[in-house]
Amino acid sequence: MNGDPVLSVSGLSVTYDVDPPVRAVRDVSLTVGQGEVLGLAGESGCGKSTLAYAVQRLLKPPAQITAGQVVLHGTPGAAGGDDVDLTTLSPAEMDRLRWDQVAMVFQGAMNSLNPVLTIGAQLADVFARHRPGMRRAERTETCGALLDMVGVGADRLRSYPHELSGGMRQRVMIAMALALRPRLLIMDEPTTALDVLVQREILQEISRLREELGFSVVFITHDLPLLLEISHRIAVMKGGQVVEVGTASQIYHDAQHEYTKRLLGSFPSLTGERGDFVRKGAAV
Amino acid sequence: MFTNRKSITGLVILGLFALLAALADVIAPFGPLEKDYTALKQPPSATHWLGTTHLGEDIFSQIAYGTRGVLLVGLTAGVLATLVAVIVGVSAGFLPGWRGESLSALSNVFLVLPAIPLMIIVASQYDDPSLFLISAVLAITGWAWGARVLRAQTMSLRSRDFVQAARANGEPLWRIITVEMLPNLTAVIASSFVGTVTAAVLGLTTLAFIGVIPITNLNWGTILYWAQQNGAFPEFWWWYVPAGLAIALLGAALSLISFGIDEYVNPRLRSAGERARSRRRLQKKRTKRSPV
Amino acid sequence: MRLLLRRAAFYLFTAWAAITINFFLPRMLKGDPVSAYLQKNQGKVSPEAADALRTLFGLDTGKSLAGQYLDYWKLLFSGDLGRSFSHGLAPVADVIASALPWTVGLVGIATVLSFVLGTTLGTLVGWFRGGRGDVIVPVATFFSAVPYFWMGLIAIAVFATGLGWFPASHAYGKGTTPEFSAQFIGEVIAHGTLPALTVVLASLGGWVLGMRNMMITVLDEDYVTVAQAKGLSRRRVVFAYAARNAVLPQLSSFALALGFIVGGTLVMELVFSYPGVGKLLLDATNAKDYPLMQGLFLVITLTVLVANLLADVAYAALDPRTRQGEV
């Protein structure tokens, strides 16, 4: 992990324009380094998913970005140097960057795949859109390679989503997200709906791919102990604000904020003192 | 479910028609078949708001009195059909095995049978069918759709936790259906009732227009029947236009109520309206930092 | 596949039910006009025709009900639906055969057109939910409540008699004989436009509203958000992701509505004096031509069944989930 950031969020605020208005994200500033895994932790409703959507400008009315910037660094071919403020782009420009630079793995692959199209078709339309020069045969081959890469197998290209298990569908989502080799992958609770064994496999897969391809990851989950294992740095959110940011080791040993401490203390262990927990991490 | 704008509009219009029917004696200036030989085929005027027929009958009065036939038959047919739909549909959804399947097959058969030919054939058998009989014929052809929807809903409720809990508790079947399930089915039942009434109104007026239902039953379709039989086309628009408009208006009111119920049941439709308003506000205040 | 077999079995069952109802129908009707007719016209009715009529109407009291039922089936399989009283004892099957194509053509074209137009319009209105397109909702609601036949009357008054753009009735000009010539086809189109237009306009509203609601429901699904996140073109998201899914329930309700559509069109044939099975049925009812009525009911029901089956096939083709056992 070297020093140049990939993404810088500064002072971002998102409000739901309902009656009364709900400030889902308040003045959030974060950076994501190259090749880094940034964990985003917090309870449900703290605004982590909203933040993820806002960064990619996927918010739908009544949600709107009311302040702040989201700067993507080192974007090739960007006007005015290498930095691009995503909040100021036109929809067409944003669409071009989507998936190519920043991709997302959504929560609950149950419903994230179009039930009436084959897996292959859903992988291929990414290429059809972003790599118009590619020919059909090449597209099919690449899609097959993607499925092999995540362990689903190229023979599943013609399958429909309902023919796959939950774990396989999640892998397909990961394959789809990595199709254009983005520099930043945002993962929103990617393993929450899966059983623990499959969870472990998926995480190992992501880890392996990250080492191979070198992308950064923003990993969103409520499962703090999991983040302690896999992240380099962790940001804790509560009520739309980031209350603490630190390396995994810092958060584990030396949490500063009250809420962080409470969060840490709420994952019970089967042995040891009260407030202890026993997940042995490797990546810390 | 009855407080959103669509439902209220529909209910108001329906209410106006109901008032018209109930107070026809007071509101209508003439009796429906009262003939005035000095004013034949007159266009709308101060005395005859919607003009007169070829026999000098006041069309407005005919429409007012005709409302009774329409509403009575419509509502009766709706009640009958919904009753059958609830009994058959809920049972079909709840009973396991061949009993549920055969009830489902029964409703599917009635669903596919074309209603109007059947109604024509059956209604033409009777010389002077009572209102109840007409309603019954309409109900027979109209219950199946509601039964099918209710069956689907019941099946999805059946596997829900609170029903399982009730069964595990040993609650008797009739109690499970009436106390646990029916309250959750009210929206669907209401929607199905409204739909059936709409179909009954259309069916009644159609049958009357064809002449299959004898003219002793005065409703808007009967007015159109007379209009057609007595050469109202195309010049005497005041004779045939209002009746059709009345049918359309009543149908629209019922549809609005149905949409209101739909929006209540399907929260995505409800929030679509909120989103729309937000989007409009958004577009008005475009700033440099363009929101999504 | 299994689902289609199940549906086919269901349709066979319904066909059987319809035929059985048809069997009982005249036996439930009042009076016995058939016997009266037979007595009055003893010399003119051939023995086979008389036999057929007796079987159809349960007049051969010598046989048991079950025996009559079997005879009825035998008769149907030989294509004999009896003789029509009001058509000079012509075979009912022939009378119906000359009228059926008109109805199927008119209803078929108009309904499919209406469905396609309505669904497309509904897709656009649903996609731009909250935009100016929403004004279509009250308009469509009103139009969907207008009875077909009334709209037909207005159409005639305005376009035929008033403006003289289209002929007011019948399928082709008086005195023209049906043949495969350009002139005849031109006349058919000219005469058929107004009825078809009426059906299309009257049923358009329902499809628009239904599709709009389905689109709004589908647009909240995760896979649509994913499609947008992938940066796909708006056209692809609307059609391949949203509309492809939203149209499925619409197709189901299309199948269900077929019976109703046919009914409404029948009355419309009366308004336009269009020589289809609807007008035939109404004329038969007025003339108390029971054999024709019975035959018509059967044919109409079976036609609706076939149309339903076709709609089901279309649904199975579009929804891959149906291909695997139960949905």
Side-chain angles (χ1 to χ4, degrees):
Chain A
M1 174 178 108
N2 63 41
D4 301 335
V6 163
L7 187 77
S8 304
V9 177
S10 26
L12 191 65
S13 294
V14 176
T15 309
Y16 279 83
D17 188 14
V18 288
D19 197 18
V22 175
R23 297 183 59 202
V25 175
R26 306 185 209 198
D27 199 32
V28 163
S29 299
L30 284 176
T31 54
V32 183
Q34 269 194 43
E36 170 183 42
V37 177
L38 175 71
L40 196 53
E43 61 198 24
S44 344
C46 70
K48 22 189 227 297
S49 289
T50 311
L51 178 61
Y53 278 59
V55 162
Q56 297 172 83
R57 290 188 50 187
L58 280 178
L59 292 173
K60 294 192 182 143
Q64 346 166 358
I65 300 177
T66 49
Q69 293 179 305
V70 177
V71 179
L72 191 63
H73 301 279
T75 312
D82 284 339
D83 292 353
V84 176
D85 183 357
L86 297 181
T87 56
T88 59
L89 290 179
S90 73
E93 291 167 343
M94 186 69 213
D95 276 350
R96 238 177 295 126
L97 290 184
R98 281 190 211 285
W99 231 244
D100 191 44
Q101 301 288 317
V102 180
M104 183 155 173
V105 176
F106 289 80
Q107 191 172 14
M110 286 325 118
N111 224 14
S112 300
L113 289 168
N114 188 343
V116 297
L117 292 180
T118 59
I119 310 282
Q122 297 185 53
L123 286 170
D125 62 16
V126 173
F127 293 109
R129 170 70 166 163
H130 291 275
R131 304 272 184 272
M134 252 179 146
R135 275 161 318 143
R136 169 92 70 92
E138 209 187 326
R139 272 208 298 264
T140 318
E141 215 189 294
T142 319
C143 294
L146 276 172
L147 287 180
D148 283 332
M149 180 174 80
V150 293
V152 169
D155 54 322
R156 290 300 209 156
L157 274 177
R158 309 267 293 274
S159 306
Y160 286 94
H162 67 275
E163 294 169 328
L164 301 180
S165 71
M168 289 176 82
R169 272 183 263 184
Q170 194 61 297
R171 289 170 196 260
V172 169
M173 292 301 293
I174 295 173
M176 202 156 71
L178 295 175
L180 300 176
R181 304 286 188 263
R183 290 190 296 141
L184 175 63
L185 193 64
I186 301 180
M187 311 187 83
D188 189 1
E189 310 263 16
T191 54
T192 308
L194 304 170
D195 62 63
V196 278
L197 292 177
V198 180
Q199 225 182 69
R200 180 62 37 177
E201 280 172 21
I202 301 269
L203 288 172
Q204 281 168 347
E205 201 71 59
I206 296 174
S207 211
R208 187 180 61 76
L209 289 165
R210 198 180 57 76
E211 268 159 50
E212 199 179 303
L213 303 172
F215 49 84
S216 314
V217 175
V218 174
F219 199 105
I220 303 174
T221 178
H222 58 272
D223 190 350
L224 190 49
L226 175 61
L227 289 179
L228 288 168
E229 275 194 65
I230 66 170
S231 331
H232 296 106
R233 287 189 309 137
I234 300 177
V236 179
M237 274 186 86
K238 173 171 160 50
Q241 292 175 300
V242 172
V243 298
E244 186 161 358
V245 182
T247 66
S249 169
Q250 282 169 347
I251 301 274
Y252 183 55
H253 289 109
D254 195 19
Q256 299 291 310
H257 197 273
E258 251 330 287
Y259 179 69
T260 315
K261 292 187 201 160
R262 268 219 318 246
L263 207 54
L264 284 171
S266 59
F267 291 94
S269 76
L270 294 174
T271 63
E273 302 282 337
R274 282 185 91 157
D276 281 5
F277 48 97
V278 258
R279 300 260 305 253
K280 296 188 193 50
V284 178
Chain B
M1 69 183 106
F2 292 117
T3 52
N4 72 51
R5 215 169 50 180
K6 293 193 172 112
S7 280
I8 293 188
T9 319
L11 282 169
V12 164
I13 299 180
L14 187 61
L16 286 174
F17 276 115
L19 274 177
L20 191 59
L23 300 175
D25 294 317
V26 175
I27 298 180
F30 302 88
L33 299 174
E34 211 179 294
K35 300 174 186 19
D36 180 359
Y37 292 107
T38 61
L40 301 178
K41 288 190 184 164
Q42 298 264 320
S45 61
T47 25
H48 298 281
W49 295 345
L50 288 175
T52 58
T53 70
H54 73 303
L55 290 176
E57 298 152 338
D58 179 39
I59 291 177
F60 178 73
S61 304
Q62 286 192 331
I63 298 234
Y65 279 95
T67 316
R68 287 184 178 170
V70 171
L71 285 181
L72 272 173
V73 173
L75 287 172
T76 314
V79 166
L80 284 174
T82 307
L83 213 59
V84 176
V86 168
I87 295 175
V88 175
V90 174
S91 308
F94 201 78
L95 294 171
W98 65 267
R99 278 173 296 176
E101 286 287 327
S102 48
L103 281 176
S104 164
L106 182 70
S107 49
N108 279 341
V109 166
F110 269 90
L111 209 49
V112 173
L113 290 180
I116 293 199
L118 189 58
M119 285 196 282
I120 290 176
I121 294 181
V122 175
S124 65
Q125 292 312 302
Y126 300 93
D127 289 325
D128 190 9
S130 65
L131 278 184
F132 186 78
L133 187 65
I134 300 176
S135 310
V137 171
L138 289 167
I140 290 176
T141 50
W143 65 267
W145 179 77
R148 189 179 150 114
V149 173
L150 278 168
R151 172 175 180 260
Q153 272 295 94
T154 309
M155 277 170 60
S156 86
L157 274 182
R158 181 176 65 179
S159 51
R160 293 268 289 276
D161 290 339
F162 68 93
V163 174
Q164 305 280 40
R167 289 166 94 174
N169 263 341
E171 259 189 58
L173 184 65
W174 67 267
R175 195 151 192 280
I176 295 182
I177 292 186
T178 48
V179 175
E180 311 281 356
M181 299 185 92
L182 274 186
N184 283 290
L185 293 172
T186 32
V188 177
I189 295 178
S191 168
S192 150
F193 175 74
V194 172
T196 315
V197 172
T198 316
V201 167
L202 279 174
L204 174 70
T205 47
T206 307
L207 290 177
F209 173 70
I210 302 175
V212 164
I213 292 184
I215 52 183
T216 43
N217 175 309
L218 175 65
N219 59 62
W220 300 331
T222 329
I223 300 177
L224 288 169
Y225 172 76
W226 283 326
Q228 188 175 60
Q229 297 290 69
N230 295 299
F233 291 96
E235 310 92 55
F236 308 114
W237 55 270
W238 57 89
W239 198 347
Y240 57 86
V241 167
L245 276 179
I247 301 174
L249 205 55
L250 181 61
L254 290 167
S255 297
L256 281 175
I257 299 177
S258 184
F259 291 157
I261 300 178
D262 272 350
E263 270 189 17
Y264 171 78
V265 168
N266 185 348
R268 289 178 182 180
L269 290 177
R270 210 190 304 153
S271 58
E274 279 171 22
R275 266 200 225 116
R277 281 186 285 280
S278 169
R279 207 181 254 187
R280 281 195 287 273
R281 275 199 294 266
L282 215 106
Q283 276 165 353
K284 287 194 201 129
K285 44 177 180 162
R286 279 239 169 245
T287 61
K288 201 180 94 175
R289 292 205 190 88
S290 336
V292 171
Chain C
M1 219 339 108
R2 241 180 65 196
L3 191 75
L4 272 182
L5 285 177
R6 224 171 150 236
R7 295 302 285 166
F10 162 71
Y11 286 124
L12 282 172
F13 173 73
T14 311
W16 170 84
I19 293 175
T20 308
I21 293 179
N22 213 25
F23 172 74
F24 282 106
L25 213 54
R27 288 158 179 77
M28 297 187 308
L29 302 181
K30 267 190 340 198
D32 193 3
V34 180
S35 291
Y37 184 87
L38 284 177
Q39 275 188 321
K40 241 188 353 174
N41 299 288
Q42 249 172 15
K44 300 188 223 152
V45 186
S46 72
E48 311 90 54
D51 273 337
L53 282 174
R54 274 195 214 101
T55 310
L56 283 174
F57 288 90
L59 300 173
D60 41 353
T61 45
K63 288 198 170 165
S64 67
L65 200 65
Q68 292 178 28
Y69 190 56
L70 275 164
D71 282 346
Y72 177 67
W73 274 96
K74 272 191 261 170
L75 212 56
L76 284 184
F77 269 110
S78 70
D80 188 350
L81 290 169
R83 304 282 166 142
S84 162
F85 294 165
S86 58
H87 284 82
L89 289 183
V92 166
D94 291 349
V95 175
I96 297 182
S98 67
L100 194 60
W102 292 108
T103 303
V104 170
L106 185 63
V107 178
I109 295 177
T111 313
V112 169
L113 203 63
S114 176
F115 182 75
V116 168
L117 269 178
T119 307
T120 312
L121 210 58
T123 307
L124 295 172
V125 174
W127 174 260
F128 290 111
R129 60 197 185 287
R132 274 165 310 166
D134 258 12
V135 73
I136 223 175
V137 173
V139 172
T141 311
F142 182 73
F143 270 92
S144 69
V146 170
Y148 283 20
F149 65 85
W150 184 74
M151 188 165 262
L153 293 173
I154 304 283
I156 295 181
V158 172
F159 292 109
T161 325
L163 291 169
W165 287 353
F166 295 100
S169 61
H170 300 288
Y172 45 86
K174 287 196 175 69
T176 322
T177 39
E179 54 183 11
F180 248 135
S181 72
Q183 193 220 2
F184 180 66
I185 294 182
E187 277 195 25
V188 168
I189 294 180
H191 283 263
T193 310
L194 222 43
L197 212 59
T198 313
V199 175
V200 170
L201 277 180
S203 44
L204 200 60
W207 299 127
V208 171
L209 289 171
M211 190 62 181
R212 169 191 178 262
N213 285 351
M214 272 324 296
M215 278 296 283
I216 290 182
T217 309
V218 160
L219 284 172
D220 266 345
E221 297 281 350
D222 289 340
Y223 54 81
V224 173
T225 313
V226 171
Q228 288 172 314
K230 293 200 287 194
L232 298 180
S233 71
R234 200 143 74 158
R235 205 175 74 180
R236 182 143 175 96
V237 178
V238 170
F239 288 106
Y241 282 75
R244 258 307 279 287
N245 281 282
V247 85
L248 293 174
Q250 284 293 90
L251 209 49
S252 294
S253 46
F254 177 72
L256 289 174
L258 278 169
F260 183 71
I261 294 175
V262 166
T265 321
L266 299 195
V267 184
M268 217 210 40
E269 284 182 11
L270 170 70
V271 170
F272 285 95
S273 291
Y274 209 75
V277 290
K279 180 147 187 308
L280 206 56
L281 179 63
L282 291 168
D283 290 342
T285 314
N286 286 329
K288 301 240 181 289
D289 183 351
Y290 287 99
L292 190 53
M293 278 165 58
Q294 195 187 27
L296 276 169
F297 179 71
L298 193 62
V299 169
I300 293 176
T301 309
L302 289 179
T303 313
V304 172
L305 278 181
V306 168
N308 260 292
L309 187 65
L310 289 175
D312 275 351
V313 168
Y315 188 99
L318 285 177
D319 188 355
R321 289 166 291 190
T322 54
R323 298 183 204 149
Q324 188 191 349
E326 300 299 313
V327 166

